[in-house]
Amino acid sequence: MPARLVVLVSGTGSTLQALLDAAADPSYGAVVVAVGADRGGCGGLRRAEAAGVPTFVCRVHDHDERAAWDRALADRCAEFRPDLVVSAGFMKLAGPAFLDRFGGRFVNSHPALLPAFPGMYGPRDALSHGVKVSGCTLFLVDAGVDTGPIIAQRPVDVIDDDDEHSLHERIKVVEREMLVATVGRMLREGYRVSGRKVTIP
Ligand code: GAR
């Protein structure tokens, strides 16, 4: 049986698309069983619909408090019985209820080499700091902001006339490859977490 992935998105969904494309090949070993978003009408939802994948929207402002949204998000994901939940450009922090349910099998991809430049603006912050190399990081989500155990990283050179957009787009090319390759290996081969160290045998 292929492993089951739920993917969470907020934006254009190019990372989701890379996963959908990879999962179309049975040898990938995983299928995207649902795509969830924190807002309606985003490109990621349209890509899921085009691929015939069920979608759901769970908006913070439809709930009385953040904790209720967090529980609802966990419930919606759980309906699809995922082996792994992938945050692919999902611009919300999951809270305790979500992590209770999916901790250890919730991964996020970030467009910087963590622990440098966490948060919403990884490429912008890296450029402002003047780094010569940035990149991307896949990690297991914990209760902090981009602080969880690192699973994979890839470097990307910064070039002199980069702006935030050009750097982010070059990172995203590498990031898609990293995410697809690493998630596939995690699901096919399994993975171990020992403290902060994640190993895929
Ligand atoms: C990706 O670069 C992802 O790392 C980033 O949003 C982009 C999503 O692109 N996420 C964050 O910055 C989260 N802190 P996409 O919508 O084209 O997949």
Side-chain angles (χ1 to χ4, degrees):
M1 287 291 281
R4 301 170 65 83
L5 291 175
V6 168
V7 183
L8 300 178
V9 297
S10 301
T12 60
S14 70
T15 317
L16 163 68
Q17 188 67 55
L19 270 172
L20 289 169
D21 293 347
D25 180 343
S27 69
Y28 187 66
V31 287
V32 179
V33 291
V35 171
D38 63 324
R39 61 199 75 187
C42 66
L45 288 175
R46 287 195 294 278
R47 290 177 192 270
E49 282 154 14
V53 173
T55 62
F56 61 87
V57 175
C58 190
R59 296 182 190 83
V60 173
H61 66 244
D62 287 343
H63 298 83
D64 290 340
E65 51 176 19
R66 184 87 182 195
W69 169 80
D70 185 45
R71 286 192 298 275
L73 182 68
D75 287 344
R76 297 306 309 271
C77 286
E79 284 171 29
F80 296 93
R81 294 177 289 110
D83 295 297
L84 200 71
V85 180
V86 179
S87 167
F90 185 61
M91 299 309 239
K92 288 281 183 302
L93 288 178
F98 194 91
L99 292 174
D100 274 355
R101 205 88 148 260
F102 296 109
R105 53 195 181 109
F106 179 33
V107 300
N108 187 16
S109 178
H110 181 71
L113 290 176
L114 294 171
F117 313 118
M120 301 273 284
Y121 305 106
R124 182 193 301 181
D125 294 343
L127 271 182
S128 304
H129 199 83
V131 298
K132 302 299 184 196
V133 179
S134 189
C136 50
T137 304
L138 185 71
F139 63 98
L140 283 166
V141 180
D142 68 6
V145 178
D146 300 333
T147 51
I150 290 170
I151 309 165
Q153 291 186 302
R154 299 276 194 282
V156 173
D157 283 340
V158 177
I159 54 180
D160 284 345
D161 52 3
D162 260 333
D163 59 20
E164 178 183 354
H165 177 75
S166 65
L167 177 60
H168 195 179
E169 286 305 309
R170 271 202 334 290
I171 289 172
K172 282 171 68 169
V173 172
V174 175
E175 187 179 9
R176 291 190 283 267
E177 182 279 326
M178 172 189 73
L179 184 121
V180 167
T182 309
V183 164
R185 285 185 56 218
M186 290 170 77
L187 294 169
R188 289 188 304 273
E189 299 166 31
Y191 58 99
R192 277 199 313 275
V193 185
S194 170
R196 288 205 52 89
K197 192 167 175 189
V198 182
T199 40
I200 304 172

